Amino acid sequence: VQPHQCDTIHQVYMCVLNTLLQALSSVATAFLESEDLPTALRPAIVEHMVLVHQSVRQFSAQFAEELRRYNYVTPKNYLDFITNYKRGLTAQRQEIVETSGRLSNGLTKLVQASAEVDQLQKELSQAKVVVKAATQECNQLLEVISANTSDAEVKQKAAIEKEEALQIESVQIAQDKDEAEQALSEAIPALEDAAAALNDLKRDDITEIRSFAKPHVLVQRVCECVVILKNLKDVSWAGAKSMMTDPGFLKSLVEFDKDGLTEKQVKKVKTEYMKDPSFTYENIKTISTAGAGGFAGLWPGPDMRTVFPSNWQLS
């Protein structure tokens, strides 16, 4: 491109640009002709609209160059811009009219309120007389309250004594709690042994017990304890065998929720089974490994038999 050709292209560009700006200005002038605008501000408003439209074109080109994303600016956008301006101008003028009306109404209310205040002043003077009479009645009531104060003091003293008694009981409760927690901490090794015993149980062990037509009485009593602690209805050898047919029975022993036992379940096992001196882990282990595992897993030893009542009372 030769220098004289560049000058020619620039001149053509400037000519086209000026023509475009004149066209935009003419369109804005025509559309705003029907609007009631100050004569001195009309050219500036038209110039501003042209400037905004052109700036959008320039920034759209910059947007496409930097981010490779395109925003198209059309004549329809320019017409919508002018239309929105006219709509906004109408809305603002309507808002100003409404605001002016509200201010006028407010001034009217202020005048009315002034008259009402004068009337209230008169009523206040009359009310002072009533208040004075009420004050005298209040003083008489205070005398009655003063007479009843002594009775209230007596009741307060009784309440203080009751509070002191409750504090003494709180100390005893805290002591009982410490003892229960101490007993529970001593029983934790038994719980750990119980978990180990359950982990040693295998499906073949369960099958062994279930195959007994009439098991040893201690093994049967272990199974009945499991039925009770699992809160099943049929507490018998038949009910225990039915329980052990469940494919998830062994898993249910490992995941057994001891904290969910009710006082009724614990009491039944203790009174009907655990009082038997022969019903011990050592005796059951000599008869059946699986029975001993179930015994240790769900009722882990004499330490837990000691903790259960204290733990229950604490809760």
Side-chain angles (χ1 to χ4, degrees):
V1 179
Q2 299 299 322
H4 68 277
Q5 291 178 326
C6 292
D7 294 339
T8 302
I9 294 173
H10 179 69
Q11 290 173 358
V12 171
Y13 172 76
M14 293 302 298
C15 181
V16 172
L17 179 61
N18 289 334
T19 302
L20 177 60
L21 294 177
Q22 290 175 2
L24 293 174
S25 179
S26 298
V27 170
T29 301
F31 272 83
L32 296 177
E33 185 177 1
S34 60
E35 294 296 328
D36 182 17
L37 296 174
T39 303
L41 297 179
R42 187 179 292 272
I45 294 173
V46 172
E47 182 181 353
H48 176 72
M49 289 185 170
V50 174
L51 175 63
V52 170
H53 184 71
Q54 285 298 98
S55 66
V56 172
R57 289 166 56 93
Q58 294 172 3
F59 283 117
S60 295
Q62 182 181 351
F63 184 66
E65 181 179 353
E66 294 179 359
L67 301 179
R68 303 302 181 190
R69 298 180 65 180
Y70 297 91
N71 177 53
Y72 298 97
V73 183
T74 66
K76 179 66 168 55
N77 299 138
Y78 186 56
L79 295 178
D80 289 341
F81 174 43
I82 298 174
T83 302
N84 289 334
Y85 171 77
K86 293 172 65 177
R87 187 182 297 115
L89 181 62
T90 301
Q92 288 294 321
R93 285 176 171 171
Q94 180 63 29
E95 183 178 350
I96 291 173
V97 171
E98 293 175 355
T99 303
S100 176
R102 288 196 295 270
L103 288 174
S104 178
N105 291 335
L107 291 174
T108 302
K109 294 293 184 182
L110 287 174
V111 173
Q112 180 181 352
S114 178
E116 292 176 353
V117 167
D118 293 339
Q119 179 63 30
L120 289 174
Q121 289 288 353
K122 297 178 182 179
E123 294 177 359
L124 180 61
S125 300
Q126 297 173 358
K128 287 182 178 179
V129 177
V130 177
V131 170
K132 183 177 180 180
T135 301
Q136 293 177 352
E137 294 178 359
C138 183
N139 291 334
Q140 295 175 358
L141 180 60
L142 287 174
E143 293 177 359
V144 175
I145 293 175
S146 178
N148 293 334
T149 300
S150 58
D151 183 42
E153 291 176 350
V154 172
K155 292 181 179 179
Q156 183 181 9
K157 181 178 180 181
I160 292 174
E161 293 175 352
K162 182 64 175 179
E163 182 180 1
E164 293 175 351
L166 289 175
Q167 290 177 351
I168 296 174
E169 292 179 3
S170 298
V171 173
Q172 183 62 42
I173 290 173
Q175 182 178 354
D176 293 342
K177 176 183 176 182
D178 292 340
E179 293 176 356
E181 290 179 347
Q182 177 65 27
L184 184 61
S185 65
E186 293 174 357
I188 287 178
L191 283 172
E192 294 174 347
D193 293 342
L198 276 178
N199 290 329
D200 290 339
L201 278 178
K202 296 183 175 52
R203 187 176 299 277
D204 293 340
D205 298 329
I206 304 301
T207 303
E208 172 198 336
I209 295 180
R210 203 175 62 218
S211 64
F212 294 153
K214 185 173 179 60
H216 190 282
V217 63
L218 293 181
V219 175
Q220 178 176 340
R221 290 170 72 84
V222 168
C223 294
E224 290 175 357
C225 285
V226 176
V227 172
I228 295 171
L229 296 178
K230 288 177 67 65
N231 203 24
L232 302 178
K233 301 298 182 183
D234 187 3
V235 184
S236 65
W237 174 239
K241 290 181 69 174
S242 175
M243 170 187 66
M244 288 185 286
T245 59
D246 181 4
F249 173 68
L250 190 58
K251 182 180 179 182
S252 71
L253 293 183
V254 176
E255 298 176 354
F256 184 69
D257 181 17
K258 296 181 178 63
D259 294 333
L261 291 174
T262 64
E263 185 175 4
K264 182 178 179 181
Q265 289 172 285
V266 176
K267 184 177 180 180
K268 184 174 181 65
V269 171
K270 288 182 62 179
T271 56
E272 298 183 12
Y273 295 89
M274 303 305 291
K275 286 186 176 181
D276 183 357
S278 65
F279 192 58
T280 63
Y281 174 78
E282 290 75 13
N283 290 341
I284 298 171
K285 187 174 182 180
T286 60
I287 300 170
S288 169
T289 302
F295 178 90
L298 294 183
W299 195 272
D303 291 335
M304 285 305 296
R305 281 181 273 178
T306 303
V307 171
F308 262 118
S310 298
N311 197 27
W312 218 279
Q313 182 180 4
L314 183 60
S315 64

